[in-house]
Amino acid sequence: MRPTIHAPALAHGSIPKPNLITVEEAKAMDVARLTDLFKTHLNPGQLHFMKLLGFHKIKIERAEGMYYIDQNGRKILDFFGGFGSLAFGHNHPKILEARKKFQEEKRQEIAIAFMSQYAAALAHNLAKCSPGDLDMVFLGSSGSEAMEAAIKVAERAAGPKRPKIVYAENSFHGKTKGVLAITDGALYRADFKMTDNTVKVPFGDINAIERAFRTDPEIGVIVLETIQGGGGIVQAPAEFWTKLRALCDQYGVLWVADEVQCGYGRSGRFYAFEHYGVVPDVTALAKSLGGGKAAVGAMIAKRDVYMKAYGTPKTAMIHAMATFGGIGEACVTAIEALNVLYDEHLIDNAAETGAYLLERLQGVQAKYPKIIKDVRGQGLMIGLEFHDFSQTLPMVLRPVVSVLDDKLKGSLSGFVGALLLRDYDVLVAFTEYNRNVIRLEPPLICQREHVDRFVDALDSLLSRGIVSIVKDFVKSQMG
């Protein structure tokens, strides 16, 4: 028999308040205190990399438009863009106003027992933005959650006799347990136990996909990023997508397009797959869907696919929205953001300004061909790839240093990223798998003047030469 433990009766108000930090105290926190708390309670290992890049010296006080403003009032041009989460830049006034009005009118936030007019409106808007029969929506709070929903609806629609899922090398679909099995990263997979119903193929290799479909009748789903983000901003040939659609139709395989990073106008179309005149069976959005102010993700499926999976009262609740899926203010934020996206012609701007950015970077590549290996991408999703470190050095040093290229991979992009921030007040991002790539995903409000400032800064930095860049980086670590 279990012993019964009786808690002592407490007088009203006798539970002591812990030593909590207030909002105003958090706002006033200095960098030293912030660093201590980050190391103690968040991620001490990550702090190591932040120190290498010099990011640990900065405390962001506020952000507006294309810029962060740090504790010293320094304006930092944002070409990172939160991995594509800031289509509207920081704190877009129309999005702020929609959220403020929602709060002032004390509208419902969590209304699980009732239908939400805001979730219904957002789902309608997403269906209107989506081509073909993509019109059934699941709302969540992240890209990983949206992709989990996408995989589940496709697997159920494919049926129990076709449980296998094809995914691509160097893919990134999220870090939650389900989509981790189709995320091709040893770092993220670590020693977790993966599901065993997956088949890996090279990205963009239509012949490998056809062989897989032909030889394995258990394959029911294929999942691909339309543009690989973590893989280094990698695109498949245009004809690949029309052939993929035809193969999926031929073999009865459902195609899931992961548009979490490359979608929402970033490529110059609402979805990147629209460039190729094809429509997947299921897709997913997140990142900028929340307008830079809310965490919102969405799965959008063709009606017949959704109905096969969840179309009866008996199956309807198998994957219904979670507690925070369709939360009121998040939906209002996303509704306003979609309207702003079109009202301010930001998709067109992504195409036009992105083409200008690509053109200017190609000019820098031509100027420094021994440093920059490739410039690629579409819209405002650009990859800037550097040569392996040994290839940037004088010929006499290359044989000696080349044996270290694998260990040094990512060092040059890191040096350049750190010095762009320190000396030019420009922030850029990196990629998970090809560490030689700098990832550029500025907000879709980016103008030519911002492109010019960034490219001129990059040109100025590279003009120092590799030896000086290395020396300057080393000095920054000693300061």
Side-chain angles (χ1 to χ4, degrees):
M1 183 175 178
R2 289 186 176 182
T4 301
I5 300 176
H6 297 283
L10 294 172
H12 179 69
S14 64
I15 297 176
K17 181 181 179 180
N19 184 21
L20 304 179
I21 296 171
T22 67
V23 172
E24 287 304 311
E25 287 169 342
K27 179 184 175 182
M29 189 181 297
D30 62 21
V31 173
R33 175 68 168 149
L34 172 58
T35 302
D36 180 63
L37 291 179
F38 189 96
K39 183 177 180 180
T40 304
H41 298 297
L42 285 172
N43 194 327
Q46 185 180 357
L47 185 61
H48 165 77
F49 296 104
M50 296 178 80
K51 286 181 176 179
L52 284 177
L53 296 168
F55 291 2
H56 71 298
K57 299 176 181 178
I58 295 171
K59 176 196 168 191
I60 299 300
E61 295 288 358
R62 60 189 184 90
E64 185 175 355
M66 287 290 298
Y67 295 93
Y68 289 103
I69 297 93
D70 76 359
Q71 72 272 26
N72 300 312
R74 178 171 64 140
K75 294 179 69 175
I76 299 170
L77 180 63
D78 185 6
F79 263 61
F80 181 144
F83 293 124
S85 299
L86 292 162
F88 307 94
H90 300 273
N91 291 305
H92 191 287
K94 289 183 180 178
I95 294 172
L96 291 182
E97 182 59 32
R99 290 169 64 85
K100 181 182 178 183
K101 189 173 182 181
F102 183 92
Q103 294 164 11
E104 289 175 347
E105 295 179 358
K106 297 181 180 177
R107 298 184 223 164
Q108 81 275 15
E109 198 67 88
I110 298 174
I112 300 170
F114 309 102
M115 292 183 292
S116 166
Q117 61 269 50
Y118 307 114
L122 177 56
H124 167 272
N125 287 357
L126 287 170
K128 288 296 183 183
C129 292
S130 302
D133 298 326
L134 290 168
D135 60 3
M136 297 298 290
V137 177
F138 169 92
L139 296 174
S141 303
S142 70
S144 291
E145 188 180 1
M147 282 304 298
E148 294 279 1
I151 295 304
K152 289 180 75 175
V153 75
E155 185 176 326
R156 273 193 59 79
K161 293 183 179 179
R162 305 190 69 176
K164 291 188 178 180
I165 301 171
V166 174
Y167 71 101
E169 291 177 356
N170 293 325
S171 60
F172 182 88
H173 298 292
K175 299 177 186 175
T176 50
K177 195 62 160 55
V179 290
L180 196 59
I182 53 171
T183 290
D184 185 34
L187 172 66
Y188 303 125
R189 288 182 168 218
D191 53 1
F192 296 111
K193 173 65 176 175
M194 299 293 107
T195 57
D196 58 4
N197 63 327
T198 58
V199 178
K200 184 166 70 173
V201 296
F203 181 70
D205 189 336
I206 199 67
N207 294 322
I209 291 170
E210 197 280 332
R211 283 194 300 272
F213 287 3
R214 186 179 69 249
T215 58
D216 193 341
E218 290 191 348
I219 290 174
V221 179
I222 183 168
V223 185
L224 298 170
E225 297 160 271
T226 314
I227 302 174
Q228 286 194 327
I233 316 299
V234 179
Q235 295 174 271
E239 63 272 14
F240 168 84
W241 299 104
T242 52
K243 291 178 180 177
L244 174 69
R245 181 68 271 176
L247 277 179
C248 287
D249 293 340
Q250 178 183 346
Y251 287 94
V253 174
L254 296 175
W255 166 27
V256 177
D258 184 343
E259 293 261 339
V260 167
Q261 189 169 154
C262 62
Y264 203 82
R266 182 148 295 278
S267 73
R269 298 293 295 270
F270 187 79
Y271 293 105
F273 59 72
E274 291 184 272
H275 289 285
Y276 312 110
V278 291
V279 180
D281 301 290
V282 185
T283 190
L285 294 168
K287 304 247 182 235
S288 288
L289 182 57
K293 298 302 293 184
V296 185
M299 176 276 290
I300 308 98
K302 289 182 176 179
R303 176 170 293 272
D304 64 330
V305 172
Y306 184 91
M307 295 304 285
K308 284 180 184 177
Y310 310 125
T312 68
K314 186 177 180 180
T315 60
M317 301 305 290
I318 290 174
H319 198 86
M321 284 192 294
T323 306
F324 296 107
I327 192 170
E329 190 173 332
C331 285
V332 165
T333 306
I335 291 167
E336 183 67 15
L338 277 170
N339 279 278
V340 171
L341 185 71
Y342 287 96
D343 290 344
E344 298 190 0
H345 308 290
L346 296 184
I347 301 176
D348 296 321
N349 186 64
E352 294 163 10
T353 305
Y356 179 64
L357 173 59
L358 198 63
E359 178 186 350
R360 285 228 53 198
L361 287 172
Q362 287 167 344
V364 176
Q365 180 190 11
K367 191 173 180 180
Y368 305 101
K370 294 181 180 179
I371 299 176
I372 300 176
K373 180 179 180 180
D374 192 23
V375 177
R376 55 180 178 266
Q378 194 158 19
L380 288 172
M381 187 173 182
I382 304 295
L384 180 68
E385 183 173 2
F386 295 96
H387 285 289
D388 282 336
F389 200 78
S390 66
Q391 300 305 303
T392 68
L393 298 174
M395 288 293 294
V396 67
L397 295 175
R398 291 184 187 180
V400 178
V401 180
S402 63
V403 297
L404 298 173
D405 272 339
D406 190 55
K407 291 184 177 180
L408 292 173
K409 194 172 287 291
S411 56
L412 183 54
S413 60
F415 297 164
V416 169
L419 293 175
L420 279 172
L421 179 61
R422 190 194 73 174
D423 297 344
Y424 300 92
D425 302 334
V426 174
L427 180 66
V428 297
F430 308 96
T431 61
E432 286 90 344
Y433 303 135
N434 187 343
R435 300 191 304 277
N436 282 346
V437 176
I438 281 180
R439 179 175 4 189
L440 305 172
E441 295 182 1
L444 305 191
I445 62 170
C446 183
Q447 300 296 309
R448 286 191 170 211
E449 64 193 75
H450 304 118
V451 170
D452 289 339
R453 181 180 161 190
F454 162 69
V455 177
D456 290 348
L458 178 67
D459 187 1
S460 174
L461 176 56
L462 296 183
S463 71
R464 300 179 190 180
I466 294 300
V467 174
S468 292
I469 288 172
V470 174
K471 286 181 178 179
D472 290 343
F473 177 79
V474 171
K475 287 180 183 177
S476 73
Q477 293 299 297
M478 298 171 66

